Amino acid sequence: MPQPALAARHVFVYGTLRAGGSNDIARYHPRPQRVGDGVIAGTLYDLGAYPGAVLGGEGSIRGEVYRITPEVEAALDLLEGVAADGSGEYLKRELDVMVGPQQVMCLVYEIHPGRIEGRTAIDSGDWLARG
């Protein structure tokens, strides 16, 4: 019996996957469809060549929301080092993101808490404008 097709999902990207970033999400196929800009509650940390987000708290993180296929989601999981047992570099979460007036359920890749020790927070919450 054939498996049912998996529905497309949305992802909130806040670092190198943003448009113009070193891992611009537009390079994936099928090409993700940009839905809009969004903001989530959290703190952004500078990990050198890329950032890591810790969700929740008083700060905010700026990013972009894209509609993605299961194939792109699998590729992003590999890029982000997601491990089924939670020991990977990033943990895959789901949360509602405000995109304009609408709420969109999105995947968000949260940095593993053990990876931010001694790292500097990016106060603006915007990786591309960190200067």
Side-chain angles (χ1 to χ4, degrees):
M1 183 168 179
Q3 294 290 331
L6 295 174
R9 297 174 72 174
H10 294 88
V11 64
F12 175 86
V13 297
Y14 55 82
T16 64
L17 287 164
R18 287 174 66 186
S22 60
N23 284 318
D24 190 327
I25 198 166
R27 71 187 177 121
Y28 289 93
H29 296 283
R31 188 179 180 129
Q33 177 186 12
R34 187 172 177 151
V35 175
D37 294 334
V39 177
I40 61 172
T43 303
L44 199 58
Y45 288 90
D46 189 338
L47 303 177
Y50 55 92
V54 174
L55 303 179
E58 299 296 315
S60 61
I61 299 170
R62 296 188 175 285
E64 301 159 2
V65 173
Y66 291 86
R67 183 177 171 91
I68 59 171
T69 63
E71 295 85 1
V72 171
E73 181 179 341
L76 295 177
D77 287 354
L78 284 174
L79 175 72
E80 303 294 6
V82 173
D85 66 0
S87 66
E89 185 168 15
Y90 285 83
L91 307 168
K92 188 162 57 170
R93 307 286 193 209
E94 285 189 90
L95 57 100
D96 284 323
V97 177
M98 290 304 295
V99 181
Q102 79 180 80
Q103 245 182 355
V104 179
M105 179 62 73
C106 293
L107 301 173
V108 179
Y109 292 91
E110 181 177 28
I111 192 69
H112 190 284
R115 309 281 177 146
I116 60 166
E117 188 174 326
R119 300 298 186 154
T120 303
I122 299 169
D123 293 333
S124 70
D126 189 339
W127 174 250
L128 297 182
R130 69 195 180 285

